[in-house]
Amino acid sequence: RQEDPTAEGTSDTKYRFNIIDTPGHVDFTIEVERSLAVLDGAVVLLDGNAGVEPQTETVWRQADRYKVPRIVFVNKMDKIGADFFNCVHMIKDRTGAIPAAIQLPIGSETELEGHVDLITMKARLFKFDEKGTYDEGDIPEEYQAEAERLHVMLMEACAEADDELMEKYLETDELSEAEVLRGLREGTLTGVFTPVFCGSATANIERRGNHQACGVLWIKSDLRCNQSLFLWRSCRAGLCCGRGAVALTAKNQFLLRLLRISNFIRLCFR
């Protein structure tokens, strides 16, 4: 839930996530199905080396069935054999989704240093400490051409998700940071494309930024903390999900329980 709402949903905005942990192993497919039936958002976790695995494809199809919006976090970019662009290709090839890179990794495997933020076009070089702090600066020269190419592709994807942004982009060939975020949110919620982030959870690279992205892309900025509930589900094979329910009065809580019971019964007799 959003505890300190602002009009733009900036990085200073605070969010509270209630964790629901559902294993991603094939033996827990039904549990994943029950969760997806009542959830709104998902973070698909990919191994930077393995990419889209068979069980990830299964859970992705389940999310398609319930039309759950997704973002992808390519984890373990410091692992031997990690390849960000191969993961992006696998998303398109194996799931049929349209991936939109939000970050460009700087280095990989043991030489991973950070990433380029393709929205702000700034480089973040991490200090590998417990808090995940980083220094932000100009993009290294060897990454500028690729970053510019991906930035243009990102703006085009955002423009296609919103008619007003498309008109602005055709006229000026540019979108502001706020407009890109607006297009990202619209494209994510409607399933036009799937944003792709990268980092390393164990090295604290972009873990905090990934949480902020969930808040910006999923939670409505006009909701107050006593009027919203956001549930986050993490899954080893690859899915984290969230659902927002407005104004959870006693009546709404009772209706939510009925919904969960009805979904359980429906799945048992399918």
Side-chain angles (χ1 to χ4, degrees):
R1 68 187 183 184
Q2 188 170 334
E3 292 190 320
D4 184 20
T6 62
E8 300 298 331
T10 63
S11 59
D12 293 328
T13 304
K14 296 180 180 179
Y15 301 101
R16 175 173 294 178
F17 297 99
N18 299 307
I19 309 297
I20 303 176
D21 188 3
T22 303
H25 191 272
V26 64
D27 292 341
F28 296 92
T29 300
I30 295 299
E31 282 74 12
V32 174
E33 185 96 12
R34 292 171 187 166
S35 299
L36 289 170
V38 293
L39 300 178
D40 281 336
V43 178
V44 182
L45 306 178
L46 298 185
D47 184 304
N49 178 292
V52 178
E53 300 179 71
Q55 184 61 14
T56 310
E57 294 182 59
T58 299
V59 178
W60 193 286
R61 288 192 294 269
Q62 289 176 304
D64 282 339
R65 187 178 306 131
Y66 292 100
K67 299 180 180 178
V68 179
R70 272 143 282 179
I71 67 176
V72 174
F73 180 62
V74 181
N75 192 24
K76 303 182 181 179
M77 283 301 300
D78 55 348
K79 182 180 179 181
I80 298 298
D83 189 332
F84 176 73
F85 291 104
N86 181 55
C87 291
V88 172
H89 174 74
M90 291 179 73
I91 293 169
K92 183 176 182 179
D93 183 55
R94 297 194 179 184
T95 70
I98 299 176
I102 308 300
Q103 296 164 342
L104 170 66
I106 298 177
S108 62
E109 302 180 350
T110 58
E111 298 181 354
L112 180 66
E113 298 181 52
H115 64 253
V116 176
D117 187 325
L118 297 173
I119 300 176
T120 63
M121 291 301 284
K122 292 289 185 180
R124 294 177 177 177
L125 300 179
F126 285 78
K127 299 180 180 180
F128 297 92
D129 56 17
E130 294 182 355
K131 296 182 179 180
T133 56
Y134 57 83
D135 292 323
E136 188 172 83
D138 295 332
I139 302 173
E141 185 177 353
E142 61 269 30
Y143 291 95
Q144 286 181 355
E146 185 66 16
E148 185 62 34
R149 182 183 73 86
L150 293 174
H151 178 65
V152 172
M153 292 177 63
L154 178 60
M155 287 194 297
E156 290 176 351
C158 292
E160 291 177 2
D162 188 289
D163 291 339
E164 292 183 6
L165 294 181
M166 175 63 77
E167 293 179 7
K168 166 75 181 299
Y169 185 70
L170 292 175
E171 291 176 0
T172 64
D173 204 33
E174 189 67 42
L175 294 176
S176 67
E177 181 179 337
E179 289 169 334
V180 171
L181 289 174
R182 170 183 161 187
L184 273 176
R185 177 178 170 81
E186 184 67 23
T188 302
L189 293 177
T190 57
V192 174
F193 55 79
T194 302
V196 184
F197 298 80
C198 63
S200 171
T202 56
N204 282 326
I205 295 181
E206 200 44 29
R207 188 174 64 179
R208 180 176 59 182
N210 196 40
H211 294 171
Q212 293 172 345
C214 292
V216 172
L217 296 178
W218 290 338
I219 301 178
K220 294 183 178 180
S221 59
D222 58 345
L223 293 180
R224 296 299 183 264
C225 62
N226 63 341
Q227 295 180 320
S228 65
L229 175 66
F230 190 83
L231 302 180
W232 172 290
R233 189 193 68 76
S234 66
C235 152
R236 189 183 174 207
L239 212 58
C240 302
C241 308
R243 177 82 181 180
V246 179
L248 283 181
T249 60
K251 178 181 178 181
N252 286 343
Q253 290 178 8
F254 174 71
L255 293 176
L256 185 58
R257 292 192 187 98
L258 284 181
L259 176 61
R260 290 170 177 166
I261 293 172
S262 65
N263 283 329
F264 173 77
I265 296 174
R266 178 169 54 84
L267 290 171
C268 288
F269 292 95
R270 175 173 292 179

